[in-house]
Amino acid sequence: MLEVRERIIRSAIKLFARKGFFETTVEDIARGARVAKGTIYLYFKDKPSIYTTIIERHLQESIQSLREIEMQKISHREKVVEIIKRGIKIWLKFKNAHPMFSIENINFAKKLMRGIKPLFMKYHAEIIERIAEIVKAGIRTGEFKNVNPAVAAVYIINIIRTAILLPQINPDLKNYEQDIEKIFLEGLIRR
Amino acid sequence: MLEVRERIIRSAIKLFARKGFFETTVEDIARGARVAKGTIYLYFKDKPSIYTTIIERHLQESIQSLREIEMQKISHREKVVEIIKRGIKIWLKFKNAHPMFSIENINFAKKLMRGIKPLFMKYHAEIIERIAEIVKAGIRTGEFKNVNPAVAAVYIINIIRTAILLPQINPDLKNYEQDIEKIFLEGLIRR
Amino acid sequence: MLEVRERIIRSAIKLFARKGFFETTVEDIARGARVAKGTIYLYFKDKPSIYTTIIERHLQESIQSLREIEMQKISHREKVVEIIKRGIKIWLKFKNAHPMFSIENINFAKKLMRGIKPLFMKYHAEIIERIAEIVKAGIRTGEFKNVNPAVAAVYIINIIRTAILLPQINPDLKNYEQDIEKIFLEGLIRR
Amino acid sequence: MLEVRERIIRSAIKLFARKGFFETTVEDIARGARVAKGTIYLYFKDKPSIYTTIIERHLQESIQSLREIEMQKISHREKVVEIIKRGIKIWLKFKNAHPMFSIENINFAKKLMRGIKPLFMKYHAEIIERIAEIVKAGIRTGEFKNVNPAVAAVYIINIIRTAILLPQINPDLKNYEQDIEKIFLEGLIRR
DNA sequence: GATGAATGAGAATTCATTCAT
DNA sequence: TATGAATGAATTCTCATTCAT
């Protein structure tokens, strides 16, 4: 049997993803973790802090993934492609509950989420920063066009988002990753 | 003074965008519209239906915008650029509350959104369809690369989203639209 | 077209009988009377006073009916039977909404009905009184057993109630009036 | 101190009888039971279900009482008298709130009662049935007149009602039970 | 007289959080 | 540590009544 704290987190991830933060009750989480309601409060200060913990974990995972990519001996183009691939993998785990690349959700519930924003912003800024660094390097080596690296970084995060949303919106689509990558790297315009 | 119904809608748009659906109370909306709580219920069946009405309005506006672009006598490239420009304008108004712009919210509050989903999906499908048609035409004329038009359509919607998020994440950035457009149309890779 | 006031009363009678006092809204009554909601308040002080008016009308009708029976040249036994017959007829019109022989309803809604109680009690006392007078006379002439006339009067009102409830409880029953009258006049015990 | 659930039920019985269902608030009940408002909802799904529970309890008590009477080794006449005596005792506790005792209430609040009606009808039918059986047996043995037993059963229930109402209407009356019993068993007519 | 839009007090219900055991 | 019964603030929604037109 897992640690109580871990059981709570896993139960919460499952429920937040399925029903959302507001429509998941602390009781639901407790039931899923097979502990009593009160026990939750021995491990977490309040409901939002469960959410915060989950987000933080995923953001850290994302940053760890970026660090690994940075150190690989591959072209910057390949690095960018790798960021997208691994980003999809990590974020897919957390799917819809993840406010990561859905920054709006942070505003979606001001009061409750107030505590999440600074945390999120800190990590988010680092993620953008690290991706921007790779883009900047790619520009220096002449691999990439001369664009604002920060803009490109946000753009890349949205590419990940596009890849995750696409099958939700259009489940029949196959091999869309190739098209996304193509448009992203080479542009929509034919020459 | 505006019509009561219109005042309620505008108050709700402002509040949903600022605080989100759950943390906006009916009383808040009433206060913002300068009517009594009960008055809301003369114009709307319940709280979710205010939300639905707002969403529908924005989706219809989006579709109307697409129709106008379709009829313009400009290149497909210019049409796509125009879609993005006008999309930004429309969605900016509704910012954070807009579930299209932030499809994750649909899962962020499953039960609430259940009623909205069919409505949303209907319009969303039409929007994707119309954008895809333009892309398809552009491919035929040789303006665009040969990619799956549906993939490109979702991609374009996410470009709009990127453009809206960027200044929120990094308020110092200037002229980022140009870079976004450049990456989108010509790709990140230099040649 | 009837007078407005009369239209309101008839609409209310119909609705109170069908849905009860609490679940009939003033708006319902107005719609049924084909007047605007506000118009009701030109004719009645408030919602309970519509109810009061209806009750008063029926109680007066009951008393009028008793007065007529008193003057008839028939035996006391026949008078009592007549009271029951005409009581059934009058009360049936108002059926379930009638708190008359459902004195509990007066307590069923203390606050709202507070105004009804004195009115009701006044008439009710008179009705009991008049019936008791007839019973007393019957005892004097030797037609009836020597029982407390007031007890007999309430008993008689409950006979009316029994006759009205029976078909509601058991719709298949036929000719039950005869059995009720028999038990009432001659008793259940065989001799 | 009683169990919480029991305290809630007793508080509700007292209040429903005094003020009626509609004018008793959940807060009232909670205060009377000395628990918080929310606690009510740990024991009952909603307000009507408190009512239902109370009704069911009293109906079951009535049936249990009938079963006991059935088994007694006394004449049918004595059984019938016993039914009335014990009926008075049981129903007095629940007085005004009891819809059996006051079947009109069923229509006094149609929507509310819709959920109660099937429950009520089930028990009510059994009560009538059991009383009717006793009457039928009394007719067979020659104790009772040859009347429809179902009619007599409803008649008996109304006798109970008469006995409960009488002191409410006329508080000065003494020994009225004897007169009621006399009229019921031997009839009003003198011979 | 007549209207019906607007009001707002009041009710039922939910659920995060506490705390005695 | 763990429990889960109890709490009560907060929210949605209803509807009798008012009042400007």
Side-chain angles (χ1 to χ4, degrees):
Chain A
M1 186 75 104
L2 283 167
E3 285 275 358
V4 172
R5 196 185 142 88
E6 189 58 28
R7 295 218 310 275
I8 293 169
I9 289 177
R10 297 206 183 181
S11 170
I13 289 179
K14 214 178 288 178
L15 287 160
F16 285 157
R18 187 152 26 137
K19 315 203 291 172
F21 178 85
F22 292 99
E23 290 170 10
T24 295
T25 66
V26 174
E27 180 130 39
D28 287 341
I29 297 171
R31 196 169 21 248
R34 281 190 279 147
V35 294
K37 224 185 329 173
T39 305
I40 302 270
Y41 289 85
L42 299 176
Y43 293 90
F44 296 92
K45 169 173 138 286
D46 54 14
K47 189 186 171 194
S49 87
I50 305 174
Y51 195 58
T52 312
T53 302
I54 294 172
I55 291 167
E56 185 155 23
R57 174 181 289 198
H58 277 83
L59 289 169
Q60 281 172 339
E61 208 174 315
S62 299
I63 286 171
Q64 180 52 31
S65 167
L66 283 175
R67 279 208 196 94
E68 288 166 21
I69 292 168
E70 280 162 12
M71 296 189 314
Q72 286 178 24
K73 300 264 179 269
I74 50 177
S75 71
H76 294 100
R77 176 196 172 132
E78 283 165 325
K79 279 184 184 173
V80 165
V81 170
E82 191 64 17
I83 287 168
I84 293 169
K85 284 202 175 119
R86 295 183 63 164
I88 291 169
K89 227 163 116 190
I90 291 165
W91 290 340
L92 221 41
K93 275 200 284 184
F94 197 41
K95 238 189 293 197
N96 304 309
H98 203 313
M100 168 78 207
F101 56 123
S102 163
I103 198 173
E104 307 85 315
N105 287 344
I106 287 175
N107 293 310
F108 199 66
K110 260 261 171 70
K111 198 171 49 185
L112 255 163
M113 296 295 167
R114 202 168 293 147
I116 296 177
K117 203 163 184 174
L119 171 82
F120 175 75
M121 283 310 190
K122 190 187 89 186
Y123 285 103
H124 199 253
E126 182 174 348
I127 288 169
I128 302 264
E129 179 65 29
R130 285 179 179 275
I131 299 178
E133 273 313 318
I134 290 172
V135 172
K136 207 186 290 179
I139 293 169
R140 257 200 312 272
T141 63
E143 271 178 279
F144 298 151
K145 289 205 175 66
N146 185 23
V147 293
N148 186 318
V151 172
V154 176
Y155 195 104
I156 286 167
I157 289 171
N158 262 307
I159 293 292
I160 295 169
R161 189 178 178 271
T162 306
I164 290 174
L165 290 187
L166 253 169
Q168 288 187 30
I169 292 170
N170 195 338
D172 309 326
L173 240 44
K174 302 271 176 261
N175 302 108
Y176 51 87
E177 291 95 341
Q178 294 163 19
D179 276 348
I180 290 171
E181 199 181 308
K182 192 177 180 182
I183 300 174
F184 169 54
L185 294 173
E186 299 169 25
L188 183 64
I189 297 300
R190 198 177 167 214
R191 55 187 65 232
Chain B
M1 186 76 105
L2 284 167
E3 288 281 347
V4 172
R5 196 186 143 90
E6 190 58 30
R7 296 217 309 275
I8 293 168
I9 288 177
R10 296 200 186 185
S11 169
I13 288 178
K14 215 178 289 178
L15 287 160
F16 286 157
R18 186 150 27 133
K19 315 206 289 173
F21 180 85
F22 291 100
E23 292 180 5
T24 296
T25 67
V26 173
E27 184 133 34
D28 287 340
I29 297 171
R31 200 172 13 251
R34 281 193 283 140
V35 295
K37 226 184 331 166
T39 304
I40 303 274
Y41 290 88
L42 298 177
Y43 293 90
F44 297 92
K45 164 174 140 290
D46 54 14
K47 191 188 168 193
S49 88
I50 304 174
Y51 194 58
T52 312
T53 302
I54 294 173
I55 289 167
E56 185 152 25
R57 174 182 289 199
H58 277 83
L59 290 169
Q60 280 171 339
E61 212 174 310
S62 300
I63 286 171
Q64 180 51 31
S65 167
L66 284 174
R67 281 209 195 95
E68 287 166 20
I69 291 169
E70 280 163 10
M71 296 189 314
Q72 286 179 22
K73 298 263 177 277
I74 51 178
S75 71
H76 295 101
R77 176 195 171 134
E78 284 165 324
K79 279 185 183 173
V80 165
V81 170
E82 191 65 17
I83 287 168
I84 292 169
K85 281 199 178 123
R86 296 183 64 166
I88 292 169
K89 225 163 116 189
I90 292 166
W91 291 342
L92 218 42
K93 277 197 285 184
F94 196 40
K95 240 188 290 196
N96 305 312
H98 203 311
M100 167 158 213
F101 172 56
S102 161
I103 201 174
E104 301 87 326
N105 287 346
I106 288 180
N107 295 299
F108 202 68
K110 262 272 170 67
K111 200 167 55 185
L112 160 71
M113 293 298 169
R114 203 165 292 148
I116 297 176
K117 217 164 183 170
L119 171 82
F120 173 72
M121 284 311 185
K122 191 187 87 185
Y123 285 103
H124 197 256
E126 182 175 348
I127 288 169
I128 301 270
E129 178 66 29
R130 283 178 181 275
I131 299 178
E133 273 312 316
I134 290 173
V135 172
K136 206 186 290 179
I139 293 168
R140 258 201 311 272
T141 63
E143 272 177 278
F144 298 150
K145 290 205 175 67
N146 186 25
V147 294
N148 186 321
V151 173
V154 175
Y155 193 105
I156 286 167
I157 289 171
N158 268 312
I159 293 293
I160 294 169
R161 191 177 176 274
T162 306
I164 291 174
L165 289 186
L166 256 168
Q168 288 186 33
I169 292 171
N170 196 337
D172 309 327
L173 279 179
K174 301 276 176 253
N175 302 107
Y176 53 86
E177 290 97 341
Q178 294 162 17
D179 276 350
I180 291 173
E181 198 181 311
K182 194 175 177 184
I183 300 174
F184 169 54
L185 293 173
E186 299 169 25
L188 183 65
I189 298 298
R190 196 174 169 216
R191 57 189 62 233
Chain C
M1 186 76 105
L2 285 166
E3 285 276 357
V4 172
R5 197 184 142 89
E6 190 57 30
R7 295 217 310 274
I8 293 169
I9 289 176
R10 299 205 181 180
S11 169
I13 289 178
K14 214 177 290 176
L15 286 160
F16 286 156
R18 187 152 24 136
K19 314 203 291 174
F21 179 84
F22 291 100
E23 289 170 11
T24 295
T25 66
V26 174
E27 180 130 37
D28 286 341
I29 298 171
R31 196 168 22 247
R34 281 189 279 147
V35 295
K37 224 188 324 177
T39 305
I40 303 270
Y41 289 85
L42 298 176
Y43 292 90
F44 296 92
K45 169 174 137 285
D46 54 15
K47 190 187 172 193
S49 87
I50 303 174
Y51 196 58
T52 311
T53 302
I54 293 172
I55 291 166
E56 185 154 25
R57 173 179 291 196
H58 277 83
L59 290 169
Q60 281 172 339
E61 208 174 315
S62 299
I63 286 170
Q64 180 50 31
S65 167
L66 284 174
R67 281 209 195 95
E68 288 167 20
I69 292 168
E70 280 162 11
M71 296 188 314
Q72 286 179 26
K73 299 265 179 270
I74 51 178
S75 71
H76 294 101
R77 176 197 170 130
E78 284 165 325
K79 278 186 183 173
V80 165
V81 171
E82 190 65 16
I83 287 168
I84 292 169
K85 283 203 175 120
R86 293 184 62 166
I88 292 169
K89 227 163 117 189
I90 291 165
W91 290 339
L92 221 41
K93 273 199 286 184
F94 198 39
K95 239 188 293 199
N96 304 310
H98 203 313
M100 169 79 209
F101 55 124
S102 162
I103 197 173
E104 308 86 312
N105 287 344
I106 287 174
N107 294 311
F108 199 68
K110 262 262 171 69
K111 198 171 51 185
L112 254 164
M113 296 294 167
R114 201 167 292 149
I116 295 177
K117 203 161 185 174
L119 170 83
F120 175 75
M121 284 308 190
K122 192 187 86 186
Y123 284 102
H124 200 253
E126 182 175 349
I127 288 169
I128 302 263
E129 179 64 31
R130 284 178 180 276
I131 299 177
E133 273 313 317
I134 290 172
V135 173
K136 206 184 291 178
I139 294 168
R140 258 200 312 272
T141 63
E143 272 177 278
F144 298 149
K145 290 205 176 66
N146 185 24
V147 293
N148 186 319
V151 172
V154 175
Y155 195 106
I156 286 167
I157 289 172
N158 261 307
I159 294 292
I160 294 169
R161 188 177 178 273
T162 307
I164 289 175
L165 289 187
L166 254 169
Q168 288 186 32
I169 291 169
N170 196 338
D172 308 327
L173 240 44
K174 302 272 174 257
N175 302 106
Y176 51 87
E177 292 94 342
Q178 294 163 18
D179 275 350
I180 291 171
E181 199 181 308
K182 193 176 179 184
I183 301 173
F184 169 54
L185 294 173
E186 300 169 23
L188 183 63
I189 297 298
R190 196 173 168 217
R191 54 189 64 235
Chain D
M1 186 77 104
L2 284 166
E3 288 278 349
V4 172
R5 196 187 142 90
E6 192 57 30
R7 295 215 312 274
I8 294 169
I9 288 177
R10 297 201 184 184
S11 168
I13 288 177
K14 214 177 290 178
L15 288 160
F16 285 157
R18 185 152 27 132
K19 314 204 291 172
F21 179 85
F22 291 100
E23 292 181 4
T24 296
T25 67
V26 174
E27 183 134 33
D28 287 340
I29 298 171
R31 200 171 15 251
R34 285 199 274 142
V35 294
K37 225 177 338 160
T39 304
I40 303 274
Y41 290 89
L42 297 178
Y43 294 89
F44 297 92
K45 165 174 142 288
D46 53 14
K47 191 187 169 193
S49 87
I50 304 174
Y51 195 58
T52 311
T53 301
I54 294 172
I55 290 167
E56 186 153 24
R57 172 181 291 200
H58 277 83
L59 290 169
Q60 281 171 340
E61 210 174 311
S62 301
I63 286 172
Q64 180 51 31
S65 167
L66 285 175
R67 282 210 194 95
E68 289 166 20
I69 292 168
E70 279 163 11
M71 298 189 314
Q72 287 178 23
K73 298 263 178 274
I74 51 178
S75 72
H76 294 100
R77 177 196 170 128
E78 284 165 323
K79 279 186 183 173
V80 165
V81 171
E82 190 66 16
I83 287 168
I84 293 169
K85 282 201 178 122
R86 295 183 62 165
I88 291 168
K89 225 164 117 190
I90 291 166
W91 292 342
L92 218 42
K93 277 197 284 183
F94 196 40
K95 239 188 292 198
N96 305 311
H98 203 309
M100 165 156 215
F101 173 55
S102 162
I103 201 174
E104 301 87 327
N105 287 347
I106 288 179
N107 294 298
F108 204 66
K110 264 267 169 70
K111 200 167 55 185
L112 161 70
M113 295 298 170
R114 203 165 292 148
I116 297 175
K117 217 164 184 171
L119 171 81
F120 173 72
M121 285 309 184
K122 191 186 88 185
Y123 286 102
H124 197 256
E126 182 175 350
I127 287 169
I128 302 270
E129 178 67 28
R130 283 177 180 275
I131 299 178
E133 273 311 318
I134 291 172
V135 173
K136 207 184 290 178
I139 294 169
R140 259 201 309 272
T141 63
E143 272 178 278
F144 298 150
K145 291 206 174 66
N146 185 23
V147 293
N148 186 319
V151 172
V154 175
Y155 193 104
I156 287 167
I157 289 170
N158 267 312
I159 294 292
I160 294 169
R161 193 179 175 272
T162 306
I164 291 175
L165 288 186
L166 256 170
Q168 288 186 34
I169 292 170
N170 196 338
D172 309 326
L173 280 179
K174 301 274 176 256
N175 301 108
Y176 51 88
E177 291 96 340
Q178 294 163 19
D179 276 350
I180 290 172
E181 198 181 310
K182 193 175 179 185
I183 301 175
F184 168 53
L185 294 174
E186 299 169 24
L188 183 64
I189 297 298
R190 197 178 168 213
R191 56 188 65 232

